């Protein structure tokens, strides 16, 4: 069965500094990987995804993520954090080897950008 | 062009009552999903559906029932609500390689 781990409940970063939100996954086959962001009282918004190809994926709002197969990781990064990046971030995985189409989410990491 | 619409936005119900949360998509996506979001647990999959009349259990299906008589609708029913089902519920559909989520229903069981 697939699973996702986000080891940090909260990450604090000063505005202007680089940020990293960690994610590791476990699947039996090859993964589809996703990052979503949730602002207060809102649904989830898609940030980026890895399907195949280049291990460095660029997404919305200046975010990027690097797929590392050997470490089974898909960390979310941004070179310079903004206060408006403060939100709840979810990593998710879908196992390509499964016939069903479900994706499994991590528990989320709250990102707090300090002005 | 709303995409996925969930209703109601907020709901308070009493323990033991039946309550149905609605989800409607304006596309014709085959796959639809129901998740619940709880502090410390993130999003957990309740049920999903591959097409009309095809549904399957997710991680936490107990106490919930779903149906999918039409492709565009995927209602979630709590047959006898319990306080542990107080949560925020999100519906989603698969769009290509990604997924689009509704705005959620905040359900409180008192």
């Amino acid at each position: 069965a697939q699973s996702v781990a986000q080891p940090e409940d909260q990450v604090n970063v000063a505005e202007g500094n680089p940020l990293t939100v960690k994610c590791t996954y476990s699947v039996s086959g090859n993964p589809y990987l996703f990052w979503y962001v949730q602002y207060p009282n809102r649904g989830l918004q898609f940030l980026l995804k890895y399907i195949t190809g280049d291990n460095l994926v660029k997404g919305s709002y200046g975010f990027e993520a690097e797929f590392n197969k050997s470490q089974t990781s898909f960390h979310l990064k941004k070179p310079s954090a903004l206060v408006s990046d403060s939100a709840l971030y979810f990593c998710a995985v879908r196992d390509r080897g499964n016939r069903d189409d479900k994706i499994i989410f991590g528990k989320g990491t709250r990102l707090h950008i300090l002005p | 062009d709303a995409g996925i619409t969930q209703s109601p936005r907020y709901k308070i119900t009493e323990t033991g009552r039946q309550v149905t949360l609605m989800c409607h998509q304006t596309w014709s996506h085959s796959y639809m999903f129901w998740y619940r979001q709880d502090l410390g647990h993130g999003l957990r999959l309740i049920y999903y559906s591959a097409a009309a009349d095809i549904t399957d259990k997710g991680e936490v299906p107990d106490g919930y029932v779903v149906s999918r008589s039409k492709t565009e609708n995927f209602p979630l029913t709590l047959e006898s609500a319990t306080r542990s089902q107080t949560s925020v519920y999100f519906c989603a559909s698969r769009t290509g390689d990604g997924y689009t989520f509704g705005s959620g229903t905040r359900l409180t069981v008192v």
Side-chain angles (χ1 to χ4, degrees):
Chain A
Q2 66 243 50
S3 65
V4 177
Q6 293 181 243
E8 302 153 317
D9 291 336
Q10 180 164 316
V11 171
N12 298 321
V13 177
E15 186 177 24
N17 283 2
L19 68 87
T20 298
V21 183
K22 296 179 181 177
C23 172
T24 58
Y25 66 90
S26 175
V27 295
S28 56
N30 291 314
Y32 289 142
L33 292 157
F34 307 85
W35 276 101
Y36 284 84
V37 60
Q38 185 182 34
Y39 297 101
N41 299 314
R42 303 287 296 276
L44 275 72
Q45 296 179 29
F46 171 79
L47 271 182
L48 52 79
K49 65 184 177 187
Y50 170 81
I51 303 298
T52 187
D54 195 347
N55 289 343
L56 184 63
V57 178
K58 294 187 183 296
S60 306
Y61 313 119
F63 284 94
E64 59 189 27
E66 186 166 12
F67 171 61
N68 187 317
K69 188 172 183 178
S70 63
Q71 297 185 6
T72 62
S73 68
F74 190 56
H75 301 330
L76 181 70
K77 300 181 179 184
K78 187 173 182 180
S80 179
L82 301 172
V83 172
S84 57
D85 293 331
S86 297
L88 186 57
Y89 290 80
F90 290 97
C91 182
V93 66
R94 174 189 158 200
D95 190 339
R96 283 194 233 180
N98 287 348
R99 294 184 63 184
D100 62 52
D101 207 43
K102 60 185 180 184
I103 57 170
I104 300 299
F105 286 84
K107 293 184 179 182
T109 298
R110 188 164 299 280
L111 179 63
H112 187 46
I113 307 301
L114 307 169
Chain B
D1 188 0
I4 290 191
T5 304
Q6 291 186 238
S7 61
R9 190 81 171 87
Y10 301 92
K11 177 72 176 179
I12 300 174
T13 192
E14 295 178 339
T15 301
R17 288 196 179 268
Q18 183 180 79
V19 61
T20 296
L21 310 185
M22 304 301 294
C23 177
H24 173 80
Q25 58 158 321
T26 55
W27 310 290
S28 297
H29 296 146
S30 296
Y31 278 91
M32 296 186 75
F33 308 83
W34 273 107
Y35 291 88
R36 59 177 289 175
Q37 183 179 15
D38 304 286
L39 194 63
H41 293 279
L43 278 86
R44 291 180 291 177
L45 181 64
I46 305 171
Y47 268 96
Y48 62 103
S49 170
D53 298 322
I54 301 175
T55 62
D56 209 344
K57 296 179 180 179
E59 303 168 82
V60 289
D62 293 344
Y64 302 95
V65 175
V66 293
S67 62
R68 189 127 179 248
S69 58
K70 293 183 178 180
T71 299
E72 62 267 29
N73 296 323
F74 190 37
L76 176 73
T77 297
L78 289 67
E79 293 189 301
S80 178
T82 65
R83 288 196 179 91
S84 65
Q85 292 177 309
T86 292
S87 186
V88 181
Y89 292 85
F90 288 100
C91 179
S93 73
R94 180 187 169 191
T95 55
D97 291 323
Y99 301 80
T100 297
F101 286 81
S103 298
T105 294
R106 184 175 293 274
L107 176 68
T108 302
V109 183
V110 298

